[in-house]
Amino acid sequence: MKRLILASASPRRYELLSLTLLPFETYPSTLEEKMDHSLTPSRLVESLAEQKAADIFTQKPDCVILGADTIVSYQNNRLGKPKDRMEAAEMLRMLSGQTHEVYTGVCLIDETKKVIFSVKTNVTFHTLDENTIEWYLNTGEPFDKAGGYGIQGSGSLLVDKIEGDYFNVVGLPISKVVRSLKEFGFSFTESVTKTE
């Protein structure tokens, strides 16, 4: 079986891929991403995931590379990671009491094939007062996450409901990923040896 490489430094994606119990290594892409804002959100995240995967594939052509990218979209505003506290606060005010979309694009590539897809999840926030926003900013969580929040941490308290794949919001739609990995010869159902 080929080596599986995760082209990401995200600890959340690392944790999710670890759930499969498949052996893998991480080689984060340092490529400067090209953002084509004319693309739909789903095509944009697919493009960014493909750029990351292709970058690492040039360095590890004998491996299967997994690239991923996540964005938050609200009323045609694409929200990446906030640059600072002020931008994080603006994002949270924008999302307060509203439903937004989280898109994660995935690219799997080896020397014979390429599989690209994206998954969308709808997330609805409670109405957030200024005290709640200040409290959440003080947790430090918003600053390395698309949309300025992390649903798997204290940001879960901001969320009223979701429609779709929860793990997609965390950063990797792991169920669809493992099924796509079957096309590359991986089987998560064979990754654990039966014990008596």
Side-chain angles (χ1 to χ4, degrees):
M1 188 181 296
K2 289 182 179 176
R3 288 160 59 208
L4 176 61
I5 303 289
L6 174 63
S8 172
S10 165
R12 291 154 308 266
R13 291 192 182 113
Y14 181 92
E15 289 169 8
L16 289 174
L17 193 55
S18 296
L19 295 176
T20 67
L21 302 180
L22 291 169
F24 69 94
E25 302 164 45
T26 56
Y27 283 91
S29 171
T30 57
L31 185 75
E32 187 172 338
E33 301 164 356
K34 296 177 182 173
M35 299 273 287
D36 183 348
H37 293 286
S38 68
L39 298 175
T40 63
S42 59
R43 279 294 303 126
L44 178 60
V45 289
E46 288 171 2
S47 170
L48 295 171
E50 184 178 11
Q51 289 175 49
K52 293 176 182 178
D55 175 43
I56 299 304
F57 181 67
T58 61
Q59 304 168 50
K60 305 282 182 181
D62 57 339
C63 300
V64 177
I65 313 299
L66 166 57
D69 198 89
T70 301
I71 63 166
V72 170
S73 179
Y74 173 65
Q75 294 185 348
N76 294 321
N77 294 298
R78 283 92 185 268
L79 308 180
K81 297 174 184 177
K83 294 190 292 288
D84 53 31
R85 187 183 180 93
M86 183 180 296
E87 188 172 48
E90 288 172 2
M91 288 182 182
L92 294 169
R93 290 186 192 105
M94 183 186 302
L95 301 179
S96 172
Q98 305 297 322
T99 299
H100 60 272
E101 302 81 43
V102 179
Y103 295 85
T104 297
V106 173
C107 177
L108 289 160
I109 186 172
D110 71 4
E111 78 277 7
T112 64
K113 68 177 72 67
K114 183 189 296 183
V115 173
I116 302 173
F117 62 87
S118 58
V119 174
K120 180 182 86 166
T121 303
N122 294 324
V123 180
T124 304
F125 268 21
H126 292 289
T127 300
L128 310 178
D129 59 30
E130 285 301 310
N131 285 340
T132 301
I133 290 171
E134 279 298 306
W135 165 82
Y136 188 55
L137 292 172
N138 289 338
T139 69
E141 252 187 29
F143 305 110
D144 69 337
K145 296 172 181 68
Y149 74 97
I151 197 170
Q152 73 282 3
S154 297
S156 60
L157 305 181
L158 312 179
V159 176
D160 179 30
K161 64 180 178 179
I162 73 166
E163 298 173 72
D165 185 340
Y166 165 81
F167 295 106
N168 184 58
V169 185
V170 179
L172 195 66
I174 190 61
S175 183
K176 188 163 184 177
V177 167
V178 295
R179 282 155 181 77
S180 298
L181 280 168
K182 289 182 179 180
E183 297 182 44
F184 295 82
F186 293 93
S187 175
F188 73 100
T189 57
E190 297 171 5
S191 61
V192 179
T193 304
K194 184 178 178 183
T195 57
E196 295 300 325

